[in-house]
């Protein structure tokens, strides 16, 4: 069972899948955001669920099945409610039904994670090891400026001349950004940035030695650089600053809370209003920034005319109807902000509640710092705050934690890990280590 879960987690990084259903509503083109794909990782996760069920039946008197705490249950229930509600307002019910299946798959992953089929430490080690492999692929891709023939592992066909491939333009030259086996360079950057904060966490909890941690950080940092994901760079810089504020400089919690709240609110308002991409477009002449401004415009119109949403998964199906410019086939992409995406697909109320729960989670994490005593109880809370802030920044600049199979699966596993780590800090006798060192 543990081996099957490990295989499921590792294969999550590879785009090995079978196309089950595809929707071709716009222009007859394949739309990855409105198709149902069954990944090899899905097979392993469901096989693990079956084995776990057999384990429970065989050890029914000795196995405790966890369903998380009341707050998380409320979040899950709210998500399921709005996803189901969006079906009845969907402009394409078949697509929304596909996304309901996607949500069920994520709930299976979360259930297995919080029931500790594998320990949190083991999952984090597997995560970092997988990212090291992704970085090695990324380095070779960048050096060759092309894909390296790993299509069986889901590697995209890459070259600087290929349309709709992420690249930089420097002095008239087009430079391919590193992808690994992900579907976009930004996804690789986001995952590597999570790998960096995970490595730092394992180091401060004494799970890896300093020399090992430094080596891992150099490799992951190189991969992050080659992805040229500016949002991942920003999130990583903020997270490292938070680690230093908590552990090295020991700044007062109240001051850290105010500073990070100010940063996150500024990022949220500047992205959902389109102010930040407009500045990029106006002063840096960025084509991608111009497209993002148009996406924000389309999102606002979509929410005004569809306050209950257009149905989960249907942003790209509705984008052309609310765009102020004619969209080219490669421009049919979800808005690069998860909260706006929730508002357009699940409704304005769903977006407002998502923002409310985000704020509540942030406040709860800082409140819990006042209740825990001891260095080894504080560390998981630090990690929770930093990981939460990190993901929040990434979600305001891109949509992959919502739309990418790999990114959303890794995110739900992270959510399960944090659920378990934070639960251990509040339960008697379940500390990482029984010490009385001050926070």
């Amino acid at each position: 069972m543990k081996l099957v879960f490990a295989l499921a987690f590792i294969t999550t990084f590879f785009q090995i899948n079978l196309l089950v259903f595809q929707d071709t509503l716009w222009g007859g083109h394949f739309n990855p955001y409105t198709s149902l794909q069954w990944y090899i990782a899905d097979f392993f996760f469901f096989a693990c669920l079956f084995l776990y069920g057999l384990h429970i039946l065989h050890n029914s008197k000795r196995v405790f099945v966890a369903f998380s705490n009341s707050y998380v249950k409320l979040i899950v229930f709210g998500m399921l409610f709005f996803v189901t509600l969006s079906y009845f307002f969907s402009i394409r019910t078949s697509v929304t039904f596909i996304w309901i299946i996607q949500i069920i798959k994520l709930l299976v992953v979360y259930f297995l994670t919080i029931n500790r089929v594998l320990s949190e430490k083991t999952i984090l080690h597997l995560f970092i090891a997988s990212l090291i492999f992704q970085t090695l692929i990324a380095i070779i891709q960048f050096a060759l400026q092309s894909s390296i023939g790993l299509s069986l592992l889901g590697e995209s066909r890459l070259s600087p001349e290929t349309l709709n491939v992420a690249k930089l333009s420097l002095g008239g030259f087009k430079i391919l950004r590193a992808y690994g086996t992900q579907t976009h360079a930004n996804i690789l950057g986001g995952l590597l940035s999570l790998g960096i904060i995970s490595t730092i966490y394992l180091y401060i909890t004494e799970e890896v030695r300093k020399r090992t941690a430094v080596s891992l950080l150099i490799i992951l940092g190189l991969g992050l650089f080659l992805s040229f994901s500016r949002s991942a760079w920003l999130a990583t810089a903020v997270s490292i600053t938070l680690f230093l504020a908590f552990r090295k400089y020991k700044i007062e919690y109240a001051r850290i809370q105010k500073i990070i709240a100010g940063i996150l609110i500024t990022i949220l308002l500047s992205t959902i209003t389109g102010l930040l991409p407009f500045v990029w477009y106006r002063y840096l002449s960025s084509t991608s920034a111009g497209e993002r401004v148009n996406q924000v415009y389309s999102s606002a119109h979509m929410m005004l005319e569809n306050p209950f949403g257009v149905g989960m998964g249907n942003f790209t199906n509705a984008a052309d109807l609310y765009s102020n410019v004619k969209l080219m086939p490669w421009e049919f992409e979800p808005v690069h902000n998860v909260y706006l995406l929730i508002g357009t697909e699940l409704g304005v109320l769903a977006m407002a509640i998502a923002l409310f729960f985000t704020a509540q989670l942030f406040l709860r994490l800082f409140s819990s710092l006042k209740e825990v005593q001891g260095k080894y109880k504080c560390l998981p809370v630090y990690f929770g705050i930093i990981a939460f802030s990190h993901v929040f920044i990434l979600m305001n600049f891109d949509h992959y934690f919502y739309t990418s199979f790999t990114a959303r699966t890794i995110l739900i596993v992270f959510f399960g890990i944090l659920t378990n780590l934070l639960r251990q800090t509040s339960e008697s006798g379940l500390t990482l280590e029984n010490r009385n060192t001050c926070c």
Side-chain angles (χ1 to χ4, degrees), residues 174-189:
K174 295 179 179 179
I175 300 176
L176 178 70
R177 295 165 59 188
Y179 270 57
T181 59
Q182 306 311 308
T183 55
H184 198 279
N186 285 342
I187 301 176
L188 176 65

Side-chain angles (χ1 to χ4, degrees), residues 228-421:
F228 291 94
S229 173
R230 291 170 293 184
S231 58
W233 291 353
L234 174 63
T236 304
V238 171
S239 294
I240 292 175
T241 302
L242 282 175
F243 270 118
L244 294 173
F246 278 123
R247 295 292 299 133
K248 184 175 181 179
Y249 299 111
K250 300 186 184 299
I251 298 175
E252 293 179 357
Y253 295 153
R255 182 177 298 180
I256 295 176
Q257 181 178 349
K258 290 178 182 178
I259 293 173
I260 191 60
I263 293 173
L264 299 185
I265 291 172
T266 300
I267 289 174
L268 174 67
L269 294 179
S270 62
T271 52
I272 66 173
T273 60
L275 177 62
L276 188 58
F278 175 78
V279 171
W280 284 348
Y281 175 67
R282 178 68 178 80
Y283 294 103
L284 299 179
S285 300
S286 171
T287 303
S288 62
E291 293 171 357
R292 295 190 184 196
V293 172
N294 183 57
Q295 288 178 338
V296 173
Y297 173 89
S298 301
S299 299
H301 277 247
M302 209 178 296
M303 286 188 284
L304 284 173
E305 294 193 19
N306 303 274
F308 292 101
V310 295
M312 192 172 192
N314 279 301
F315 183 93
T316 52
N317 282 336
D320 202 31
L321 302 175
Y322 298 96
S323 175
N324 60 346
V325 296
K326 177 66 176 177
L327 297 178
M328 301 303 291
W330 58 84
E331 293 177 326
F332 282 83
E333 188 177 5
V335 60
H336 284 64
N337 183 291
V338 170
Y339 292 101
L340 285 178
L341 197 50
I342 292 173
T344 55
E345 294 191 350
L346 303 183
V348 177
L349 181 59
M351 181 179 71
I353 292 177
L355 287 170
F356 171 78
F357 274 112
T358 298
Q360 282 294 307
L361 179 59
F362 179 77
L363 294 174
R364 278 172 172 256
L365 286 170
F366 270 99
S367 296
S368 65
L369 280 176
K370 303 175 184 178
E371 301 171 2
V372 297
Q373 297 293 328
K375 170 186 173 183
Y376 286 85
K377 277 194 171 186
C378 291
L379 295 182
V381 186
Y382 294 160
F383 186 51
I385 292 171
I386 293 167
F388 160 78
S389 303
H390 193 103
V391 170
F392 182 85
I393 292 171
L394 294 176
M395 289 198 304
N396 273 278
F397 287 100
D398 218 317
H399 55 74
Y400 51 78
F401 280 126
Y402 190 107
T403 57
S404 163
F405 167 77
T406 299
R408 65 174 176 257
T409 303
I410 296 301
L411 179 63
I412 206 69
V413 170
F414 248 76
F415 190 43
I417 289 174
L418 292 174
T419 300
N420 286 343
L421 290 177

Side-chain angles (χ1 to χ4, degrees), residues 111-164:
F111 174 80
L112 293 171
T113 305
I114 64 172
N115 280 281
R116 305 188 82 247
V117 174
L118 283 181
S119 69
E120 294 78 33
K121 182 181 75 171
T122 301
I123 294 176
L124 289 177
H125 279 288
L126 286 175
F127 179 51
I128 294 169
S130 298
L131 289 177
I132 293 296
F133 182 64
Q134 291 289 314
T135 300
L136 295 178
I137 296 174
I139 292 171
I140 299 173
Q141 288 173 340
F142 189 79
L144 297 179
Q145 284 293 288
S146 70
S147 49
I148 60 175
L150 296 179
S151 58
L152 290 178
L153 297 180
E155 182 192 25
S156 302
R157 293 183 179 179
L158 306 171
S159 76
E161 291 74 34
T162 304
L163 289 175
N164 204 29

